[in-house]
Amino acid sequence: MATQIAATPIIRGKEAVRIYKEANKKFGAESKKGAEILKAKFSGKLK
């Protein structure tokens, strides 16, 4: 049996601005380095 989908929360004000900034944050050099390490580790498993 399928479950119901929960309602999407509506966020306003300072909390909305904080979430927006975090979602649109640019990746730093350290994050890119970590992504390359993960890519190399799992390269054989990607399709």
Side-chain angles (χ1 to χ4, degrees):
M1 181 187 281
T3 59
Q4 291 181 339
I5 298 173
T8 303
I10 298 172
I11 302 168
R12 294 186 174 98
K14 291 180 183 178
E15 189 69 13
V17 172
R18 185 189 66 78
I19 292 170
Y20 178 81
K21 285 180 180 178
E22 186 176 333
N24 291 299
K25 187 168 47 171
K26 300 290 182 192
F27 294 109
E30 219 172 276
S31 294
K32 289 181 183 179
K33 182 179 175 184
E36 290 297 322
I37 291 170
L38 289 174
K39 186 177 177 183
K41 184 174 183 178
F42 295 106
S43 64
K45 298 179 182 180
L46 294 176
K47 291 184 178 181

